[in-house]
Amino acid sequence: MHDYSLEQAYIMKDRKETLDIVERAYEEARKHTCEGHVATYIPELGKVNPDQLGICIYRLDGEKICFGDYNVRFTMQSISKVMSLCVALEILGMEEVFKYVGAEPSGEAFNSIAELDLNSNKPYNPLINSGALAIAGLLVDKVSFYDMIAFARRICVDDDITFNEEAYESEMKTCSRNRAIAYLLESKGIIQADVEETLKFYTKLCALNVTAESLANFAKILASDGVCIKTGKRYLSGSTVRIVKTLMLTCGMYDGSGTYAIQVGIPTKSGVGGGLLCVSDKRAGIGVFGPALDDKGNSVAGIKLLEQISEHLRLNLFFDPDWDDLINKEKLI
Ligand code: DON
């Protein structure tokens, strides 16, 4: 007699299979860490060991799968833009937020200034630096930095998230470009709060220390429409989550978003600290850490890893395993 139900047996087999797939993908992706470079325009990030790679997957059925440096702390950087957007949408609503920022891919680098000056009176989207600075301007007088840390700890289920003062100071010394963007936004009436306070608020959020595991928790809540499946607690409204996931898919990897959508097909946001926040809708939250970056500021080995995982766990947004089985078995085509 077996002492587990069929359902449990299925989950166990599935976990084993998933583990094998993730382990193989991890071993393969590790070979690619040497192809990228850590960010050096923020001097503190230049000190990070590029040869690290970690992944944490939280499936919505509660299974957790981790490999490598999944517990190493690194700065959130641009992944904090997702958090700020969530908070802005929750507090101000969609209509107000999109008065100040667009929802279109920019096709430009994350810190581009040209298209903002020449083509548009508002930033293309909230996930590039200009857009995130606009969002920071909307929040800075309404939410304290400590409220934001508390929000990060709740949504990442990680009480150890702290502020990395060295990374913050280091970026504040070298952020002329973001400062220029912020003043340009002020000149266009997009930032109405104090520009220097807005810049500090934005930069502090970039310097929150997280792990791949904390990002997987955040992604898991986004994957389940803003609700924690285990407790039933709602963290974010369904409409906020849908907007955020859509923008992650279309703009989350900057001018690499289209290629990434073809390669991986899962809404993802990168940060120059090497993090990837990856939301496999209704299936899993995935966090990755791989600090060696490509020329667009996205983790090289992290993308390789997610490409493999997406293919072998069949997570591509446009791939439906049930439909695939149906058309193969029933020979509909
Ligand atoms: O503002 C910056 O340039 C950094 N604090 C964040 C940029 C970033 O993470 C771009 N992501 N890949």
Side-chain angles (χ1 to χ4, degrees):
M1 278 291 283
H2 296 298
D3 61 353
Y4 50 82
S5 69
L6 270 179
E7 193 186 19
Q8 281 170 317
Y10 169 75
I11 288 171
M12 285 166 72
K13 175 174 170 287
D14 192 37
R15 177 178 162 81
K16 169 86 178 71
E17 244 178 65
T18 309
L19 266 174
D20 288 348
I21 287 170
V22 179
E23 184 169 16
R24 251 179 282 133
Y26 174 78
E27 293 307 336
E28 184 53 38
R30 268 210 72 87
K31 297 176 195 156
H32 296 271
T33 55
C34 59
E35 290 165 18
H37 301 281
V38 290
T40 48
Y41 77 98
I42 301 172
E44 196 63 23
L45 297 187
K47 298 179 186 165
V48 174
N49 169 12
D51 189 33
Q52 301 182 86
L53 185 63
I55 182 163
C56 177
I57 304 178
Y58 268 116
R59 289 194 332 209
L60 295 196
D61 65 6
E63 289 290 350
K64 173 179 152 187
I65 289 161
C66 301
F67 280 96
D69 303 302
Y70 71 93
N71 246 338
V72 171
R73 297 253 154 213
F74 59 94
T75 51
M76 213 175 196
Q77 298 302 336
S78 283
I79 297 169
S80 67
K81 292 168 178 164
V82 178
M83 226 175 56
S84 309
L85 177 61
C86 287
V87 173
L89 287 168
E90 292 287 297
I91 294 180
L92 303 166
M94 175 179 171
E95 205 177 314
E96 184 68 8
V97 167
F98 288 106
K99 274 186 202 160
Y100 297 91
V101 66
E104 306 302 336
S106 72
E108 303 286 339
F110 65 83
N111 57 1
S112 172
I113 197 168
E115 96 284 354
L116 174 65
D117 196 23
L118 300 174
N119 306 338
S120 158
N121 276 327
K122 58 184 187 184
Y124 271 67
N125 69 70
L127 300 184
I128 51 177
N129 288 13
S130 55
L133 283 159
I135 299 285
L138 293 177
L139 291 180
V140 67
D141 294 331
K142 298 185 180 64
V143 188
S144 74
F145 175 58
Y146 295 97
D147 291 335
M148 293 299 288
I149 294 191
F151 178 79
R153 288 179 178 159
R154 269 200 313 279
I155 201 113
C156 295
V157 197
D158 180 359
D159 286 339
D160 295 328
I161 290 181
T162 48
F163 171 51
N164 185 330
E165 202 153 351
E166 291 77 31
Y168 168 71
E169 296 295 345
S170 171
E171 181 160 16
M172 283 308 288
K173 281 189 197 128
T174 53
C175 70
S176 318
R177 198 175 177 88
N178 282 345
R179 179 170 278 117
I181 293 173
Y183 278 100
L184 183 59
L185 288 170
E186 186 194 39
S187 78
K188 288 173 180 279
I190 297 286
I191 291 184
Q192 290 165 9
D194 183 273
V195 178
E196 288 299 323
E197 289 307 312
T198 301
L199 187 62
K200 284 187 208 158
F201 186 75
Y202 163 84
T203 312
K204 279 184 184 170
L205 292 173
C206 289
L208 291 181
N209 267 332
V210 291
T211 64
E213 183 168 357
S214 6
L215 295 183
N217 270 309
F218 184 4
K220 188 178 72 166
I221 287 173
L222 295 175
S224 52
D225 262 333
V227 173
C228 171
I229 299 261
K230 202 166 143 197
T231 61
K233 185 176 167 197
R234 180 167 284 286
Y235 287 77
L236 296 165
S237 69
S239 75
T240 290
V241 171
R242 278 189 293 279
I243 293 168
V244 165
K245 284 187 286 204
T246 307
L247 288 169
M248 285 170 69
L249 182 71
T250 53
C251 314
M253 305 294 275
Y254 309 112
D255 44 336
S257 297
T259 308
Y260 179 85
I262 293 170
Q263 264 177 307
V264 180
I266 311 176
T268 301
K269 179 77 207 81
S270 62
V272 286
L276 292 165
L277 172 82
C278 178
V279 181
S280 175
D281 207 34
K282 316 274 184 294
R283 294 184 184 131
I286 306 175
V288 173
F289 169 54
L293 310 175
D294 62 20
D295 57 0
K296 299 186 190 303
N298 301 322
S299 170
V300 178
I303 292 180
K304 291 276 177 209
L305 181 51
L306 289 171
E307 191 179 357
Q308 292 291 312
I309 285 175
S310 174
E311 184 181 337
H312 296 292
L313 294 181
R314 312 204 293 180
L315 297 181
N316 187 307
L317 195 62
F318 299 107
F319 181 82
D320 180 341
D322 294 336
W323 176 250
D324 198 58
D325 285 350
L326 181 76
I327 49 179
N328 282 329
K329 278 191 202 128
E330 311 283 330
K331 303 213 180 327
L332 292 185
I333 300 174

